[in-house]
Amino acid sequence: MTSTVDVRTEEHAHRLDAADPLPTLRERFHVPPASGGAYPEVAYLAGNSLGLQPRSVAGLIEEELADWARLGVEGHVEATRPWKPYHELLRDAAARLVGAQPAETVVMNSLTVNLHLMLVSFYRPTPERYAILIEDSAFPSDSYAAQSQVRLHGFDPAQAVIRLRPRPGEACLRTEDVLDVLRTRGHTIATTMLGGVNYLTGELMDIPAITAAARDAGVIAGWDLAHAVGNVPLRLHEWGVDWAAWCHYKYVNSGPGAPAGCFVHERHLADRALPKLQGWWSTDPATRFRMLPELDPVDTADSWQLSNPPILAMAPVLASLRIFDEVGMDALRAKSLRLTGYLAELVEALCADLPVEVLTPPDPDRRGAQLSLRLLGPDADDVSARLRHEHGVIADARRPDVVRFAPAPLYCTHHDAWRAAHALAAVLRAG
């Protein structure tokens, strides 16, 4: 006699958590209390917008504050973790997270600042090859950055920013369509600036295939990895990506406005003809404090730095990168597939007759830890607010009609996914 498992039951969610090969690290994060629902803590599925705070962060920041109080300016060289080379403490772990060599990686600035710094070097338009390739549903900051860069070079964004759109009636791009644009229009494109994981739909792009096609077409392959870093395994050096930029406050849980990251492939590092915006921290640290009027360049990603590192903001990045080093992206990706797959299964089972459709690709290999749902009538802000206040579920709304659920595998559980799906069904049924 064959028994069937009812995936909709709370008991099944608990069994999945108990049997999971990677037990949750939820206890190592501050989980907000719930303002509604039957549970003391929220089910937090908004880590694609802002990750939860690791409990180890406060101790690291307090150590920096204590060194500042004890040492003053001498903390730059005498602190427990000296401030002058502080960014170097993050380099190796950040490189491992994105599949890069340490010399190719630097933690600095914020994401859009880094996008602009990369475009200064790698968007070098000519009358024939002048375009930047992005997705039509790119995060708005990427659109603004691309438009402002082409204007700086005297081009019209309407012609010089190529926006990839899905086929009619579809929500996501197809890899073959992206490759076709690179084959047929690549001679006009200077650089790509595509999102590795699309912020709105959660679609995971085929980074290696698109990178290879771009380079075959003579196009610089650049990526915004804001929603990919800490979400999916990356092999930037191996894939031949030219440049990439990302933030650390989403899946990497490093706090609001955390310092971001940059990757520049080693084949570009010794090219001193590349145009760059430069500052004090662009110069060789061995000669930096000689206060020379001329810059002494270094052939690493550090040469794209401008200013000294913000220590109190970098301490949370250090705390979080230690967790990723401990757990590893392969294990996290495997759990992410289990959690997101279970959430998708629950939404299908509970919401089949409700006014909602899934935007994220059904193929697990084409999505990260995110399920984006389009509401067919209800307002996304209203639904998100009711999820939180009535059921203790925190999701992320994107106006006017998209709600995004991100079961981040470091702290989310199958039970969180169960709560989210049941709460969504309850809110939609209530009207």
Side-chain angles (χ1 to χ4, degrees), residues 221-241:
W223 291 90
D224 176 348
L225 301 176
H227 288 264
V229 169
N231 181 4
V232 295
L234 298 166
R235 305 284 185 267
L236 300 186
H237 177 84
E238 176 186 327
W239 295 339
V241 168

Side-chain angles (χ1 to χ4, degrees), residues 244-332:
W246 61 89
C247 56
H248 287 118
Y249 57 80
K250 301 179 188 298
Y251 292 97
V252 190
N253 313 306
S254 298
C262 263
F263 163 88
V264 178
H265 198 279
E266 67 172 346
R267 63 177 167 271
H268 300 297
L269 297 180
D271 182 359
R272 295 186 177 180
L274 278 176
K276 298 175 186 176
L277 296 181
Q278 295 173 319
W280 194 23
W281 242 247
S282 313
T283 198
D284 189 334
T287 59
R288 182 176 294 142
F289 283 88
R290 295 179 189 173
M291 315 303 281
L292 302 173
E294 297 298 327
L295 186 135
D296 187 4
V298 292
D299 295 333
T300 71
D302 279 10
S303 66
W304 276 268
Q305 291 184 111
L306 299 177
S307 303
N308 50 316
I311 305 305
L312 299 182
M314 281 193 163
V317 185
L318 177 61
S320 189
L321 288 176
R322 287 174 173 175
I323 297 173
F324 278 90
D325 257 354
E326 176 186 338
V327 181
M329 273 308 305
D330 289 339
L332 288 171

Side-chain angles (χ1 to χ4, degrees), residues 82-156:
W83 303 332
K84 185 174 74 168
Y86 199 96
H87 70 281
E88 296 176 10
L89 298 174
L90 313 178
R91 186 195 315 283
D92 287 1
R96 285 188 286 271
L97 193 60
V98 299
Q101 296 179 1
E104 299 171 318
T105 312
V106 61
V107 174
M108 62 182 188
N109 306 318
S110 60
L111 171 57
T112 306
V113 170
N114 288 342
L115 289 174
H116 277 296
L117 292 175
M118 293 295 99
L119 289 171
V120 164
S121 295
F122 295 107
Y123 175 58
R124 291 177 286 168
T126 68
E128 297 77 27
R129 189 185 290 273
Y130 53 84
I132 299 176
L133 182 68
I134 65 174
E135 333 82 292
D136 192 43
S137 59
F139 193 77
S141 194
D142 291 39
S143 289
Y144 307 155
Q147 291 163 8
S148 64
Q149 285 283 337
V150 302
R151 286 193 188 100
L152 281 173
H153 289 276
F155 292 93
D156 180 355

Side-chain angles (χ1 to χ4, degrees), residues 374-390:
R374 172 167 288 144
L375 306 176
L376 307 176
D379 177 76
D381 283 336
D382 179 59
V383 168
S384 179
R386 292 180 61 191
L387 287 172
R388 177 186 176 191
H389 295 297
E390 297 174 14

